């Protein structure tokens, strides 16, 4: 069964550094999402992306965050200048639209 | 506003049934979902129900939806130790993005 893949599985970065989290959604899916889960807390919506543009973003998704679909397969989340509070599990999800979202296994981001 | 609530813990004996409950506030939900998360792992889609349905059964899983009370439940029959995990309910919001709003998660502990 096709699946969403995320890399790396764990990223350790110094505070203030830029980080890029990568996702390969399921190939025929059109809608892409990033979610965040701080340790021990609920999963929170960050941003949705469709037709090569952001369709919605949450209050968490400030100017330090950006998303990109640089080619036909990858979907990336960039954090420009990381803060300690960005430490979390980041999940990518995709759907063909009107169907359940399929999630990747997540990237654990640790900011030192 | 959009809010999804769950009880935090549930402990059951192996072989018994488990019932995990969820309440939500947004009446414009399209789908309601149950995801399973094992320690350190990603979000596994267990089952989902369309908002105009009352019940859905899938092997050991039964989902009940009371739209009037905005209440969703997941029943796991013959609960096994491998079912121990955190269970998240989530609703997809009927807007142009179908973003998911997650509950706080219920930690299910199955003991022999």
């Amino acid at each position: 069964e096709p699946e969403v893949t995320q890399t790396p599985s764990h990223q350790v970065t110094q505070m203030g550094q830029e980080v890029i989290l990568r996702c390969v959604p399921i190939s025929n899916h059109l809608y892409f999402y990033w979610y965040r889960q701080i340790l021990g807390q609920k999963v929170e919506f960050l941003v949705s992306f469709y037709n090569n543009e952001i369709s919605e973003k949450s209050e968490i998704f400030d100017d330090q965050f950006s998303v990109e679909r640089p080619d036909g397969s990858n979907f990336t989340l960039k954090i420009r200048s990381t803060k300690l509070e960005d430490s979390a599990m980041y999940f990518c999800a995709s759907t063909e639209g009107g169907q359940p979202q399929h999630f990747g296994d997540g990237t654990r981001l640790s900011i030192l | 506003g959009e809010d999804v609530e769950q009880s935090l813990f549930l402990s059951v004996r192996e072989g018994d049934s488990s019932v995990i409950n969820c309440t939500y506030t947004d009446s414009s939900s399209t789908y309601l979902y149950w995801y399973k998360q094992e320690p350190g792992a990603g979000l596994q889609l267990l089952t989902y129900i369309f908002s105009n349905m009352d019940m859905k059964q899938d092997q050991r899983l039964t989902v009940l939806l009371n739209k009037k009370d905005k209440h969703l439940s997941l029943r796991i029959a013959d609960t096994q130790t491998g079912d121990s995990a955190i269970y998240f309910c989530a609703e997809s919001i009927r807007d142009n993005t179908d973003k998911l709003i997650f509950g706080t998660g219920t930690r299910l502990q199955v003991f022999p």
Side-chain angles (χ1 to χ4, degrees):
Chain A
E1 186 178 321
E3 55 184 32
V4 176
T5 56
Q6 290 186 242
T7 54
S9 55
H10 191 189
Q11 174 81 46
V12 181
T13 302
Q14 291 285 338
M15 187 172 62
Q17 296 295 305
E18 175 184 286
V19 68
I20 297 176
L21 309 182
R22 302 181 192 280
C23 170
V24 179
I26 295 173
S27 62
N28 64 330
H29 285 186
L30 302 174
Y31 298 80
F32 314 113
Y33 306 83
W34 283 101
Y35 294 83
R36 178 183 84 174
Q37 185 184 30
I38 294 172
L39 186 64
Q41 297 187 23
K42 67 165 76 174
V43 179
E44 302 171 288
F45 167 76
L46 289 180
V47 66
S48 59
F49 191 87
Y50 170 73
N51 201 25
N52 282 321
E53 61 183 21
I54 291 174
S55 43
E56 186 175 352
K57 56 186 180 180
S58 71
E59 291 173 357
I60 304 166
F61 195 89
D62 62 22
D63 292 344
Q64 294 300 313
F65 290 86
S66 62
V67 289
E68 196 177 32
R69 188 154 162 82
D71 52 42
S73 59
N74 288 282
F75 179 51
T76 61
L77 174 70
K78 183 195 290 187
I79 309 175
R80 196 166 303 122
S81 177
T82 49
K83 302 188 279 288
L84 292 175
E85 53 265 38
D86 293 327
S87 294
M89 194 80 155
Y90 288 81
F91 292 105
C92 172
S94 71
T95 176
E96 52 191 310
Q99 295 295 319
Q101 292 179 25
H102 291 263
F103 283 76
D105 285 339
T107 293
R108 182 174 301 282
L109 178 62
S110 300
I111 307 299
L112 305 179
Chain B
E2 306 145 350
D3 197 19
V4 180
E5 297 289 337
Q6 298 177 241
S7 52
L8 290 180
F9 298 102
L10 178 65
S11 183
V12 299
R13 189 180 298 277
E14 191 174 20
D16 289 350
S17 293
S18 310
V19 179
I20 302 171
N21 294 301
C22 171
T23 57
Y24 60 97
T25 56
D26 197 304
S27 57
S28 67
S29 303
T30 49
Y31 287 95
L32 294 124
Y33 301 88
W34 285 102
Y35 286 89
K36 176 183 179 183
Q37 185 179 40
E38 298 187 46
L43 295 164
Q44 176 194 352
L45 175 66
L46 279 181
T47 187
Y48 63 97
I49 188 168
F50 191 50
S51 58
N52 69 353
M53 295 170 63
D54 298 324
M55 187 183 91
K56 180 178 180 181
Q57 185 147 9
D58 185 0
Q59 298 181 331
R60 292 193 296 126
L61 306 178
T62 303
V63 179
L64 294 177
L65 175 60
N66 182 328
K67 200 166 181 183
K68 175 174 164 289
D69 294 338
K70 298 192 181 72
H71 182 265
L72 181 75
S73 68
L74 173 69
R75 179 177 180 271
I76 306 173
D78 186 26
T79 315
Q80 303 297 309
T81 53
D83 295 324
S84 293
I86 298 177
Y87 290 79
F88 290 95
C89 83
E91 59 170 340
S92 65
I93 304 299
R94 188 194 297 274
D95 57 16
N96 62 334
T97 69
D98 282 333
K99 70 185 180 204
L100 296 186
I101 304 298
F102 281 82
T104 46
T106 298
R107 183 179 295 276
L108 174 65
Q109 180 71 46
V110 183
F111 57 94

